[in-house]
Amino acid sequence: ISHIVQLAISQKKLLGYSNGTVVPYARSQSMMKDKNAECQRPCAGAVRGKSAVATWESMRGHLERLLRSAGTEGQPIPLSNVKRLFRVQFNLELSETALGYAKLSELLQDPRLSDLCKVTLQGYGYVLVPLARPSKRSLISLAEGLCLDDGRQLEAEAAAAAAAAQAAAAQQ
């Protein structure tokens, strides 16, 4: 029976939760979050105090800062801490419904964030894992990285050196 109830909650949206009890979906917090996400507005009571609500632009920038502060070794951030970290570090409310999602985990898996992080299950909870940033290479190192024969390698290096000299001259 518990499996059937779980399916009615998670997949069929026949049931939902309200104040910790199972209720018909139409009276559930899940339905309210879905409706708010459709209208892209924060849920009532989700915005605390006078904090502003994050927009896509501010959220992405602050998320980058959070992920960088997680350390160079790519330390994961528990999903349960992300909203609190936004509130404490940036005085900003991260509302998934204001950004069009009913669940924080879905928001953080949006394609617009796919170059920054990924959500994974670790142990008993979900975490936000920073992705390695691609290193920026100069034109010369790009030419060196190509496996060209000697003649083409020299041409590529000469073209890269000329482009670098042109860029330096333009800055002066």
mmCIF file of all heavy atoms in Angstrom, residues 167-172:
data_model
loop_
_atom_site.group_PDB
_atom_site.id
_atom_site.type_symbol
_atom_site.label_atom_id
_atom_site.label_comp_id
_atom_site.label_asym_id
_atom_site.label_seq_id
_atom_site.Cartn_x
_atom_site.Cartn_y
_atom_site.Cartn_z
ATOM 1 N N ALA A 167 47.493 41.880 -31.180
ATOM 2 C CA ALA A 167 46.680 42.189 -30.010
ATOM 3 C C ALA A 167 47.447 43.100 -29.064
ATOM 4 O O ALA A 167 46.881 44.044 -28.487
ATOM 5 C CB ALA A 167 46.260 40.897 -29.309
ATOM 6 N N ALA A 168 48.744 42.853 -28.883
ATOM 7 C CA ALA A 168 49.572 43.688 -28.008
ATOM 8 C C ALA A 168 49.695 45.099 -28.579
ATOM 9 O O ALA A 168 49.629 46.082 -27.838
ATOM 10 C CB ALA A 168 50.943 43.056 -27.823
ATOM 11 N N ALA A 169 49.852 45.223 -29.877
ATOM 12 C CA ALA A 169 49.969 46.535 -30.522
ATOM 13 C C ALA A 169 48.660 47.312 -30.400
ATOM 14 O O ALA A 169 48.658 48.521 -30.211
ATOM 15 C CB ALA A 169 50.366 46.369 -31.982
ATOM 16 N N ALA A 170 47.545 46.620 -30.490
ATOM 17 C CA ALA A 170 46.240 47.270 -30.398
ATOM 18 C C ALA A 170 45.984 47.823 -29.001
ATOM 19 O O ALA A 170 45.300 48.809 -28.831
ATOM 20 C CB ALA A 170 45.136 46.298 -30.793
ATOM 21 N N GLN A 171 46.550 47.184 -27.978
ATOM 22 C CA GLN A 171 46.365 47.629 -26.601
ATOM 23 C C GLN A 171 47.182 48.864 -26.290
ATOM 24 O O GLN A 171 46.880 49.609 -25.384
ATOM 25 C CB GLN A 171 46.724 46.513 -25.618
ATOM 26 C CG GLN A 171 45.707 45.400 -25.615
ATOM 27 C CD GLN A 171 46.079 44.297 -24.634
ATOM 28 O OE1 GLN A 171 47.178 44.274 -24.096
ATOM 29 N NE2 GLN A 171 45.167 43.353 -24.457
ATOM 30 N N GLN A 172 48.259 49.105 -27.058
ATOM 31 C CA GLN A 172 49.121 50.270 -26.795
ATOM 32 C C GLN A 172 48.613 51.443 -27.467
ATOM 33 O O GLN A 172 48.034 52.208 -27.716
ATOM 34 C CB GLN A 172 50.550 50.013 -27.286
ATOM 35 C CG GLN A 172 51.203 48.919 -26.485
ATOM 36 C CD GLN A 172 52.582 48.572 -27.024
ATOM 37 O OE1 GLN A 172 53.009 49.068 -28.053
ATOM 38 N NE2 GLN A 172 53.268 47.712 -26.340
#
